[in-house]
Amino acid sequence: MEPPSVDQQESRPSPSPLGYADSSVSNHVRLNVYPQVALICGLLPLITGTLVAGLFTLHRHASFQVIGALTLFAGPFIVLVGLFALLMYVGSSYAPKNKWRRSLTPFLILLANFPAAAACLWLVERTHVTIHNHSPQIIDMVVLTDPLGHTHRIGPIPPGTAERSWVRFMGEGSVTYRLVSQGQSPAGGVAIGFRTPGLILIDAGHLTLTVSHDGSISVREH
């Protein structure tokens, strides 16, 4: 076989630098998606969890309970996906020079999900207590005692008025109440029959204690 002539060698196409340029541009375009993915992974559970926690605190509807539980369990996995996307972005040789500055905001939003989740759990574990005084006498104080012995005092409550408060009960068991009025012996009973810490989807979120005109006391969990 004869070796190729000089003319044949010169006619062969040489590798075009344009192909490498196109590949580099394509890699840069793909990398720019990673910070956006991380930002979405940070904002999605953060906004959803905060909104649902607020709505769940006001109205413990079943739909809020389901969405809140799904957000609570799926949120950490979504955050991990966002952190992995940022790691791929800053670790790539095709990343731009300002990669750390572009990664800062998504990274902080991703980390913000953890204290936000703790704050949401603290919020939804509180019980909204309302005490109505329809009696002709002032109620000096209502003392609520949780299963761990922590006391929460509400009052004084003038006749014909109501007092509202957010209370965080601790421990597993019953919550009791004691009503103190001047000139009368203290009255008491069980305010919450049984509560389990952590089971926010089961425990009641609202407690209403009503003192009627004749001094009788009714308690309602809802």
Side-chain angles (χ1 to χ4, degrees), residues 1 19 21 35 47 51 120 128 134 155 170 184-185 192 203 213 219:
M1 178 180 291
I47 295 176
L51 181 62
C120 289
H128 186 243
H134 298 313
M170 305 292 291
Q184 294 185 353
S185 58
I192 299 177
D203 291 340
H213 188 271
V219 180

Side-chain angles (χ1 to χ4, degrees), residues 19-103:
Y20 296 106
D22 292 341
S23 177
S24 177
V25 171
S26 177
N27 289 330
H28 281 294
V29 172
R30 286 198 299 265
L31 278 176
N32 288 333
V33 177
Y34 287 163
Q36 300 174 9
V37 171
L39 184 63
I40 293 173
C41 289
L43 290 175
L44 182 62
L46 182 64
I47 295 176
T48 304
T50 304
L51 181 62
V52 171
L55 294 174
F56 180 69
T57 303
L58 298 176
H59 307 284
R60 298 211 167 190
H61 194 271
S63 59
F64 299 146
Q65 298 175 0
V66 174
I67 297 174
L70 291 176
T71 304
L72 183 63
F73 290 110
F77 297 100
I78 298 176
V79 171
L80 286 178
V81 172
L83 291 174
F84 180 75
L86 279 185
L87 184 62
M88 295 288 293
Y89 176 71
V90 299
S92 175
S93 58
Y94 294 100
K97 295 181 180 180
N98 63 344
K99 61 182 180 180
W100 296 107
R101 181 171 58 84
R102 292 193 60 189
S103 303

Side-chain angles (χ1 to χ4, degrees), residues 19-222:
Y20 296 106
D22 292 341
S23 177
S24 177
V25 171
S26 177
N27 289 330
H28 281 294
V29 172
R30 286 198 299 265
L31 278 176
N32 288 333
V33 177
Y34 287 163
Q36 300 174 9
V37 171
L39 184 63
I40 293 173
C41 289
L43 290 175
L44 182 62
L46 182 64
I47 295 176
T48 304
T50 304
L51 181 62
V52 171
L55 294 174
F56 180 69
T57 303
L58 298 176
H59 307 284
R60 298 211 167 190
H61 194 271
S63 59
F64 299 146
Q65 298 175 0
V66 174
I67 297 174
L70 291 176
T71 304
L72 183 63
F73 290 110
F77 297 100
I78 298 176
V79 171
L80 286 178
V81 172
L83 291 174
F84 180 75
L86 279 185
L87 184 62
M88 295 288 293
Y89 176 71
V90 299
S92 175
S93 58
Y94 294 100
K97 295 181 180 180
N98 63 344
K99 61 182 180 180
W100 296 107
R101 181 171 58 84
R102 292 193 60 189
S103 303
L104 181 60
T105 299
F107 179 69
L108 293 178
I109 292 178
L110 286 168
L111 291 185
N113 277 271
F114 296 100
C120 289
L121 285 176
W122 178 84
L123 178 66
V124 299
E125 284 181 348
R126 297 192 305 167
T127 301
H128 186 243
V129 179
T130 303
I131 302 175
H132 296 278
N133 183 14
H134 298 313
S135 69
Q137 296 182 343
I138 185 173
I139 299 175
D140 295 326
M141 181 173 53
V142 175
V143 181
L144 298 170
T145 306
D146 64 23
L148 295 183
H150 301 150
T151 57
H152 308 272
R153 293 174 172 82
I154 302 175
I157 308 172
T161 63
E163 187 74 19
R164 295 172 175 83
S165 180
W166 289 97
V167 180
R168 187 168 185 252
F169 299 118
M170 305 292 291
E172 183 177 29
S174 301
V175 176
T176 61
Y177 72 89
R178 184 166 58 89
L179 189 147
V180 180
S181 298
Q182 290 184 354
Q184 294 185 353
S185 58
V190 176
I192 299 177
F194 190 85
R195 70 172 304 276
T196 303
L199 294 183
I200 57 176
L201 303 183
I202 299 177
D203 291 340
H206 298 269
L207 173 65
T208 301
L209 191 149
T210 303
V211 181
S212 62
H213 188 271
D214 60 1
S216 60
I217 303 172
S218 63
V219 180
R220 183 167 68 98
E221 299 177 54
H222 54 103

